[in-house]
Amino acid sequence: MTSEIAELIKTVNSGEEQLSARMGIEIVEYTPDRVVATMPVAGNRQPYGLLHGGANAVLAEQVASIAAALGAGQDRIALGLELICTHHRPATEGLVTAVSTRLHQGRTTATYDVEITDEQGRRTCSARLTCSIRDKA
């Protein structure tokens, strides 16, 4: 792992003005093919007490964007282009876990499938993120 990738993961997990820190997202595994993270339901609920759909979207984009950045290489960046989320069942407590899996890695785009599950292993959300891969400016 390059020092730049290590710095990316450190920044994401550090909490220094990162949305992921406000959401309680913790990256627990990372490779270009697969990134895994957890997020608490507490603090990320909508008024009915259920995990907010937008929180699912943030979590999905976080894990897939990191995977795309890892796959893009040292001199390139990954920027979210399209995010699609389908919410299957509510989560009301505990942690949810997101696993991103690479579907496509090309020169200019990368697409990842994201499965979010509750602590019982039940799928709560399916998502797909396509990133644009660009040279650093």
Side-chain angles (χ1 to χ4, degrees), residues 21-85:
R22 292 184 184 150
M23 305 290 290
I25 296 171
E26 182 180 345
I27 306 300
V28 296
E29 178 186 328
Y30 52 92
T31 70
D33 293 320
R34 176 181 156 100
V35 172
V36 180
T38 61
M39 180 180 70
V41 172
N44 293 312
R45 292 185 177 103
Q46 40 92 316
Y48 300 112
L50 310 174
L51 179 63
H52 196 289
N56 274 330
V58 169
L59 178 59
E61 184 149 356
Q62 184 73 38
V63 293
S65 291
I66 289 171
L70 292 169
Q74 196 167 337
D75 298 325
R76 307 196 81 204
I77 60 171
L79 303 169
L81 188 61
E82 179 182 45
L83 175 65
I84 300 167
C85 296

Side-chain angles (χ1 to χ4, degrees), residues 6 27-28 35 56 71 88 91-92 94 102 105 108 114 120 124-125 132:
I27 306 300
V28 296
V35 172
N56 274 330
H88 303 293
T92 57
R102 180 167 39 190
Q105 179 75 48
T108 60
V114 181
Q120 289 73 43
T124 60
C125 179
S132 174

Side-chain angles (χ1 to χ4, degrees), residues 68 101-113 129-131:
T101 306
R102 180 167 39 190
L103 298 174
H104 165 77
Q105 179 75 48
R107 190 178 59 78
T108 60
T109 62
T111 302
Y112 286 80
D113 179 58
L129 178 72
T130 298
C131 289

